[in-house]
Amino acid sequence: MVLNWNKWAKYSFMKRYASLVPYLPEMRQFSNDTLWQMVDKYGYAIVKPAYGSRGRGVIQITSLKDNRYELHYENRKKIMKNKNQAYAYIRQIAGSSLYLVQWRVPRATVNGRPFDLRVVIQRHKNSGRWTVTGKLAKVTGKGYIVSNITRSKGNVLPVNVAIRRSSITRKHGVVDRVNRVALLSANTLGKRYTGHRIFGLDMGLDHKGHVWIIEANLAPSISHFLKLGNKTMIRRIRAYKKH
């Protein structure tokens, strides 16, 4: 695997730019120490593989009373009696893979289910101008924490519809902020991944409508756009890939 493609490399590069820092949830390389530093600081965290996609291997850990911890993996929850037991369970799932621990964005919900956004940004050949060519909302399936539709049996919605139905208290201007942060991200990543013409961002919105960059993808899947009734975005994404 190429190191530059892993989530830690992309996060570390983006973190160097002050303009992006307000949109990046805190993340560290996973270890016993960094796990508990994150959980003790925030009360919860997300643990996920540095390589991988489609929500595989993602675990949510939440601190409970009496030094107990809830671990949410796939659609299953387990209560661990102490830190040692919780860490051992995570390590069992992670194996020898490189893992990361990230502050869990308190995502806004639609009908009580968290959602995040897939935003695709592209540029034409021989052009340095980036354009948001597609975006949609991915709503998690019942009982899951990941928004990958196939894994969680969730559903997709147009972004405007998801925001309108969501728990976000300040809805005005959210779409404009998403577009602005997406373009800022593409312009920044383009400095590192020169020659690259497409980026896919998984972006979270909290209950106040603040935009968070959960992770950046260099080879984003666009299949979710086929599930939208309106096929304008999938056609535009495919056209940009050709030209």
Side-chain angles (χ1 to χ4, degrees), residues 64-170:
L64 305 176
K65 295 179 180 179
D66 304 322
N67 294 316
R68 294 177 303 131
Y69 298 90
E70 179 188 85
L71 296 184
H72 193 161
Y73 175 58
E74 299 288 1
N75 60 344
R76 303 184 298 275
K77 295 181 181 180
K78 288 180 176 289
I79 304 297
M80 301 299 175
K81 296 178 181 178
N82 53 54
K83 287 182 174 179
N84 289 339
Q85 193 178 74
Y87 179 77
Y89 179 77
I90 294 172
R91 180 49 71 189
Q92 179 183 348
I93 293 170
S96 59
S97 300
L98 176 64
Y99 258 62
L100 306 170
V101 56
Q102 185 179 43
W103 173 60
R104 190 204 74 189
V105 173
R107 290 174 296 169
T109 58
V110 172
N111 296 327
R113 297 183 187 180
F115 74 95
D116 54 43
L117 310 180
R118 166 54 59 88
V119 183
V120 176
I121 317 99
Q122 294 171 275
R123 64 179 179 85
H124 286 300
K125 293 176 183 175
N126 304 316
S127 171
R129 184 174 180 272
W130 292 96
T131 302
V132 175
T133 52
K135 56 181 177 287
L136 54 73
K138 300 178 294 177
V139 184
T140 62
K142 185 176 181 181
Y144 284 80
I145 54 169
V146 298
S147 60
N148 179 269
I149 305 305
T150 304
R151 183 166 294 276
S152 74
K153 303 175 183 64
N155 63 289
V156 300
L157 289 173
V159 171
N160 287 328
V161 173
I163 291 173
R164 187 172 70 245
R165 296 180 184 175
S166 75
S167 61
I168 296 172
T169 55
R170 302 171 188 169

